[in-house]
Amino acid sequence: MFRHRVLPEATVTIDEVTTTPGGPAGYSVEELARKVGMSPRNIRAHQARRLLPPPVRRGRAALYDDSHVRRLDAILALQRQGFNLVSIEAMLGVRASDEAPDGLTAMLQRLTADRPALAHALTRHGVIGRTTDGTVRTVRPRPLRAALDLHRVRVGTVPALQTLSEVLDSLRPVADELVAAVTARLLTLAPELVRGSARSSWADLDRETLLLTQGVVNVLTEAFRLAVENQSEAHVAELLENHLDADVCLEDSTVIDNG
């Protein structure tokens, strides 16, 4: 049904992305951007998401140090390995984890030990994450619970999570296209978004960007939910009926040797 790609395990560890005091030299945001190969706007966006600590204020100057360089280098390395920002937030301990029951935590620990490729895929998609002591935790509980709820129709944990991982792999390029198309369409239909942003401060622009991002997420999420709900009932029933008919035909065609 879905093609599942297994990516290599991440080579960046939590210890490498822990912020430590930097050297005495300070960098302006433009100097930091040139040093790490990232735009100043992306640096500010990482600050807004709390992925990057704020700069040190010295009078009117906002200065970054070598700890900011290491953090940004680590973020870029994780992004090159395929991790999205939600996953990176979980790995860096920025995103608050869901308080999972002990049984679920134990199950995730076993999954990591027994199925490391599957656990890696779920981490890459931001469904689960690791704390600094190696404990696996829930980051996005809703998709995880949706998959595990399939046990009510006798679908085991591993097949359910494998399906979730493959669905996320399949939806990722579709989501890229939809987000770009919907955002471009909004900017066309509501040009005041661009005009207002041009007059905004960097702080206001970051806030507006986050609000627009969440708005696009909400619209796409509810639209996709509606489309799936509209199509699922008939298709699932038909597929299940076809499989049942095939099983019955196989049983009826079995040759019985009566000697």
Side-chain angles (χ1 to χ4, degrees), residues 16-22 27-29 32 40 42-57 62-75 88 92 94:
E16 292 176 274
V17 294
T18 301
T19 302
T20 54
Y27 308 97
S28 67
V29 67
L32 179 63
N42 278 347
I43 290 174
R44 293 186 177 98
H46 288 328
Q47 284 179 215
R49 297 181 74 113
R50 294 186 298 151
L51 278 169
L52 186 71
V56 176
R57 291 284 177 182
L63 297 178
Y64 301 82
D65 58 28
D66 289 338
S67 67
H68 296 94
V69 175
R70 287 191 291 273
R71 173 61 71 93
L72 291 173
D73 284 342
I75 291 171
I88 295 172
L92 299 183
V94 173

Side-chain angles (χ1 to χ4, degrees), residues 3 22 127-128 139 168 254:
R3 293 182 179 178
V127 178
I128 61 177
V139 178
L168 289 169
T254 301

Side-chain angles (χ1 to χ4, degrees), residues 90-112:
M91 297 173 77
L92 299 183
V94 173
R95 178 177 288 271
S97 64
D98 182 63
E99 292 297 328
D102 290 340
L104 180 58
T105 300
M107 182 277 290
L108 293 175
Q109 290 291 134
R110 290 195 301 272
L111 179 74
T112 302

Side-chain angles (χ1 to χ4, degrees), residues 8-19:
E9 295 291 335
T11 56
V12 178
T13 65
I14 294 296
D15 291 338
E16 292 176 274
V17 294
T18 301
T19 302

Side-chain angles (χ1 to χ4, degrees), residues 63-231:
L63 297 178
Y64 301 82
D65 58 28
D66 289 338
S67 67
H68 296 94
V69 175
R70 287 191 291 273
R71 173 61 71 93
L72 291 173
D73 284 342
I75 291 171
L76 289 171
L78 289 168
Q79 287 179 313
R80 285 193 293 269
Q81 294 173 46
F83 291 95
N84 59 27
L85 290 178
V86 173
S87 303
I88 295 172
E89 286 175 351
M91 297 173 77
L92 299 183
V94 173
R95 178 177 288 271
S97 64
D98 182 63
E99 292 297 328
D102 290 340
L104 180 58
T105 300
M107 182 277 290
L108 293 175
Q109 290 291 134
R110 290 195 301 272
L111 179 74
T112 302
D114 298 339
R115 305 277 180 143
L118 178 54
H120 174 73
L122 294 174
T123 301
R124 181 166 51 86
H125 286 296
V127 178
I128 61 177
R130 284 178 178 270
T131 60
T132 53
D133 63 1
T135 302
V136 181
R137 65 182 186 177
T138 307
V139 178
R140 291 293 185 87
R142 289 177 61 179
L144 185 63
R145 288 170 180 160
L148 295 178
D149 277 350
L150 290 170
H151 73 85
R152 293 183 294 180
V153 288
R154 299 183 299 280
V155 176
T157 297
V158 171
L161 295 180
Q162 183 74 34
T163 300
L164 173 62
S165 173
E166 291 171 1
V167 168
L168 289 169
D169 280 341
S170 297
L171 287 178
R172 190 168 185 170
V174 178
D176 285 343
E177 294 179 8
L178 279 174
V179 168
V182 170
T183 303
R185 186 61 176 157
L186 283 173
L187 295 176
T188 300
L189 295 175
E192 60 272 14
L193 284 173
V194 178
R195 290 195 295 268
S197 296
R199 296 190 297 269
S200 299
S201 66
W202 281 112
D204 289 338
L205 184 58
D206 288 338
R207 182 181 61 82
E208 290 174 3
T209 300
L210 290 175
L211 289 174
L212 179 58
T213 299
Q214 190 58 57
V216 171
V217 168
N218 291 340
V219 168
L220 286 175
T221 299
E222 294 308 318
F224 186 73
R225 179 191 297 274
L226 179 59
V228 170
E229 287 175 350
N230 287 342
Q231 300 300 321

